[in-house]
Structures are given as structure tokens and as C-alpha cells.
Amino acid sequence: MAFEAFFLPASAGQRLALFHAPQASEKPHGAVVYVHPFAEELNKSRHMAALQARAMAAAGYAVLQIDLLGCGDSSGDFGDATWEDWLADVALACDWLQRRTAAPLWLWGQRTGCLLAIEAANRMERPVNLLFWQPVVSGKQFLQRFLRLKIAAEMLGGDGKGMMERMRSQLRRGEAAEIAGYLLSSTLAGSLENAELMLSHRSCRVEWIEISSKSDGGLSPVAVARLSQWQAAGHHVRGISVNGPAFWQTVEITECPALLEASIMAMSGIEST
């Protein structure tokens, strides 16, 4: 299925974008902007994101994928990017897509991309639907795990003792830290640490999908608690779990076919069986 690849002009440089035109109907069912995950999780997820974008287009959705500042083939270095830069990129992608179609807007986030998507949605004047893939609920906890990648590498070299505190001190002094080949700025680290998955009244729907390696695996306790909280507040939210590999962290590039089908069904409002 053909797609349009182009560079979207931004305030700083340009962003690589891939547009998948809706195939199944003349009037799109929705306009979808993909908000990708953090660092190496982005690279591990590209294949699944491409498969899902094509599936969405085949089902009648207009889909725009964008590499955020300093990521992939977009302008800038990862170490120079800020959370506000990335939020501006999400808004830029939404503006571009909304000029192409008046269909209902969806932000499709994966992992930390869900944190960006929900904050971007909270800032928008119009209602936004949200599709979450394995969302990160706490940026603070994610940052902690990301920093541990450095500790693991240093421990292999016999120098892991006290590494976490040294990195924390380095970031508090405003210095960048190199983690798993990515230069993490103190500004981005601070913003990520403060990010939480909090829903505002402006969002219309939330479709939360988690991936479990167990065939009978359900939603995580964290997901159940957050969804229950939102439902009690009157939000239209649903959550499901599908069986498959954690493709964003596997050594080899892997697929999760059940996730592709579940996402289309969730966006269409169809109850999974």
C-alpha cells in the first residue's frame, strides 16, 4: 500500500513524515497522528507502527507518522530535544492532518508517546480521541528504568557502584548524560520525570491496549486502577489485553498481529471477544 513520505517544515529544521491516505472510504473515519516511543524503543517499534498505519489506512483512517525532533530522520540531535519541542511537533502534525481532513482526531501513542499524546490532547481546544499502546503511566518510573541501562552497562565493566547517584547529580547540575548511545539532556530528563498520564475533560475516548506474553493475561493492576479512576470521573475509557511479544524491547524485530486487529476494533467502537 502506497504512502507519501515528505519533510514537514518546523520551527527548527524539518520533520520526517509518512502519510497513509484512507483506502476504504471517500470520507475518513478518523485522522490519526502516531506519537512514537522513546529512544531505542522507537527503532524496535517501527515495523509494528508501519503495519498498523497501513491497516488503519485500509480500514478508512487517514494516518500521519512523524519523527520528533532529534529522532529518526528528522532534524536535530536527540540531546538537544526538549519535551516542549516534542509537544510542538505533535501539534504541528495534528495541524497538518486537520488541514487535509475534518475527520475526528486521534492521537495514537505508544509507551512514552502516550505521555506526550495525553499532554498534547489536554492542551488542544477541540476534543481528541486517544489510542494507547502499552502506555507508560509514570515518567519518573520510566526515567529510572532508562537510567538503569547505563548502570547495567557499567556493571559489566565492573564500575556500576554509585552510578545512579552520579547520573542523578550530573543531570541536577544541568549536564547531559549518555545512556545506551543516547545523550539525555537535563531538561528532557526533568520534563520526563514530571510527566504523568492524567486525563482532562477535553478528551472524547481512550482505548488502552496492553500486550501480554500469556494467552490468558489481563490488564496490569496499574491499568485497571487508572481506567477505574477515569471511568469514575465520567470519561469514556476502555482497556483490553492481547497476547503477543513486547516488540518494543525484543532483540529481534517481532510482530504482534493480535494488536493490529484489536486497535482497529477499538477505534471502531467494536467490543473485543
Side-chain angles (χ1 to χ4, degrees), residues 18 28 30 46 52 56 101 112 134 141 144-145 148-149 154 166 182 251:
L18 304 177
R46 282 196 184 279
Q52 185 68 78
M56 287 177 178
T101 175
T112 53
Q134 201 72 27
Q141 291 178 2
Q144 187 82 356
R145 289 192 293 269
R148 285 177 184 152
L149 295 176
E154 294 296 330
R166 289 200 297 272
Y182 292 87
V251 176

Side-chain angles (χ1 to χ4, degrees), residues 57-201:
Y61 292 87
V63 185
L64 185 67
Q65 297 175 264
I66 183 173
D67 282 354
L68 304 174
L69 175 66
C71 301
D73 293 316
S74 287
S75 299
D77 296 322
F78 188 89
D80 296 327
T82 68
W83 196 255
E84 287 297 324
D85 289 330
W86 287 351
L87 286 169
D89 286 348
V90 174
L92 178 69
C94 290
D95 289 344
W96 185 92
L97 192 54
Q98 288 179 285
R99 288 197 297 270
R100 299 284 292 255
T101 175
L105 180 62
W106 284 84
L107 286 178
W108 158 30
Q110 182 189 344
R111 303 285 291 143
T112 53
C114 299
L115 293 172
L116 277 166
I118 204 166
E119 186 167 347
N122 289 343
R123 294 186 181 191
M124 291 184 187
E125 294 298 326
R126 62 173 292 182
V128 185
N129 299 314
L130 297 164
L131 172 66
F132 288 160
W133 274 11
Q134 201 72 27
V136 171
V137 174
S138 168
K140 183 176 182 178
Q141 291 178 2
F142 179 87
L143 177 63
Q144 187 82 356
R145 289 192 293 269
F146 186 65
L147 294 179
R148 285 177 184 152
L149 295 176
K150 178 74 169 182
I151 297 175
E154 294 296 330
M155 286 183 69
L156 291 175
D159 190 32
K161 187 176 181 180
M163 176 57 67
M164 179 63 77
E165 183 53 37
R166 289 200 297 272
M167 283 190 296
R168 289 285 188 182
S169 297
Q170 190 174 341
L171 291 170
R172 284 195 294 266
R173 293 194 302 269
E175 301 173 6
E178 189 277 324
I179 315 290
Y182 292 87
L183 190 64
L184 177 67
S185 71
S186 60
T187 301
L188 182 56
S191 297
L192 178 59
E193 190 167 31
N194 291 328
E196 286 284 338
L197 207 66
M198 303 296 292
L199 191 62
S200 82
H201 67 281

